Amino acid sequence: MVGGQGVSISQYSAHKDEAWKFLEWFMSRPQQWKWVEGCGMTGVSAILKDPKFLEAAPPNKSFPVSMSMTKDYWHLPAYPQLLKSFQHYVHQAITGQLSADQALDACAAEQERILRASPNQKAMKTQ
C-alpha cells in the first residue's frame, strides 16, 4: 500500500518478475523514506510511527490520524459506480461546466443515492 492506494501486479503482465523487483525496491524502508521526504505518503506503519515522519512535510502531521480511521471501500459492489460518478463530476469541475462546490455537492448527492441503493447498505451503517 502506498499512502492508502493499493498497489498490484496484473496477472496479464508480461513482466511480473520485474514488477515484483520494483515493488520490493519501492516498498523498502530506505526508498519509502525518500518517498516521504519528497512529500509522498506511505502505508509503512513503522515509518508512520516515527517522529521523523511528522516533520518531513506539513501534511504529514494529519496523515497517521487519517490512516488510522481509513476503511477499505474497494470491496463494495457499488465502487465502480461511485468512481464513475466521481470522475464525471471532477471532469465537469475541471472543464468549467460546474464550479468545484457544485460538482462536489452533485457528486455527494449521487453517491448517496448509489450507496442507499447498494445491496450492502445495512453493512455500511455498522462500519
Side-chain angles (χ1 to χ4, degrees), residues 74-89:
W74 298 95
H75 67 283
L76 295 176
Y79 179 75
Q81 290 175 280
L82 297 170
L83 181 60
K84 184 177 180 181
S85 170
F86 180 74
Q87 290 171 336
H88 169 76
Y89 287 108

Side-chain angles (χ1 to χ4, degrees), residues 47-96:
I47 293 175
L48 290 174
K49 292 175 185 174
D50 189 314
K52 181 178 150 188
F53 172 81
L54 300 176
E55 304 303 322
N60 291 11
K61 289 184 188 344
S62 64
F63 188 72
V65 175
S66 299
M67 285 300 291
S68 72
M69 293 185 277
T70 299
K71 294 191 185 265
D72 182 21
Y73 53 85
W74 298 95
H75 67 283
L76 295 176
Y79 179 75
Q81 290 175 280
L82 297 170
L83 181 60
K84 184 177 180 181
S85 170
F86 180 74
Q87 290 171 336
H88 169 76
Y89 287 108
V90 167
H91 176 77
Q92 287 195 327
I94 290 171
T95 59

